[in-house]
């Protein structure tokens, strides 16, 4: 089930990338269109960062209770660079969408 949601998230990021690249052209470059391309660059970077897993930021008490199949060093490794990149991309795309919202509605 977890793989399904990861695939769904990656597909959503792919759709957001296409929207970020095409939306400024469809809106005749009105609003803060540079944010849309920044969003596209961040999403492209997020796809490049996806395979990378780094240690979580901040102190953590690692417990291996109930997680015998996972070595303790791997428990706190997350995809935070990927998650940070696509979250920033969504924020930039949202700000761009807000900047053109008044032009169409």
């Amino acid at each position: 089930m977890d793989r399904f949601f990861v695939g769904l998230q990656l597909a959503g990021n792919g759709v957001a990338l296409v929207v970020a690249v095409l939306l400024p052209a469809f809106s005749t470059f009105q609003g803060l269109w540079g944010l849309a391309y920044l969003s596209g660059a961040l999403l492209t970077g997020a796809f490049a960062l996806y395979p990378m897993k780094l240690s979580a930021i901040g102190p953590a008490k690692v417990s291996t209770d109930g997680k015998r199949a996972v070595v303790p060093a791997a428990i706190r490794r997350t995809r935070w660079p990927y998650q940070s990149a696509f979250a920033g991309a969504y924020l930039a795309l949202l700000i761009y969408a807000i900047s053109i919202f008044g032009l169409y509605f």
Side-chain angles (χ1 to χ4, degrees):
M1 191 63 152
D2 190 39
R3 290 179 191 247
F4 170 75
F5 288 115
V6 168
L8 187 64
Q9 185 182 51
L10 288 171
N13 288 345
V15 169
L17 177 60
V18 171
V19 168
V21 171
L22 295 179
L23 191 58
F26 285 125
S27 66
T28 62
F29 296 96
Q30 295 180 353
L32 303 170
W33 57 268
L35 287 175
Y37 290 121
L38 173 65
S39 176
L42 285 171
L43 283 168
T44 303
F47 282 119
L49 291 172
Y50 179 76
M52 184 185 309
K53 280 184 146 182
L54 297 176
S55 296
I57 299 174
K61 292 182 179 179
V62 178
S63 171
T64 56
D65 294 342
K67 299 180 182 193
R68 294 186 184 107
V70 179
V71 295
I75 290 175
R76 294 287 298 164
R77 296 181 67 80
T78 64
R79 296 190 195 281
W80 67 264
Y82 159 75
Q83 293 166 340
S84 300
F86 87 76
Y90 283 161
L91 181 63
L93 192 58
L94 177 67
I95 293 170
Y96 173 65
I98 290 170
S99 76
I100 64 169
F101 184 79
L103 302 172
Y104 297 100
F105 299 103

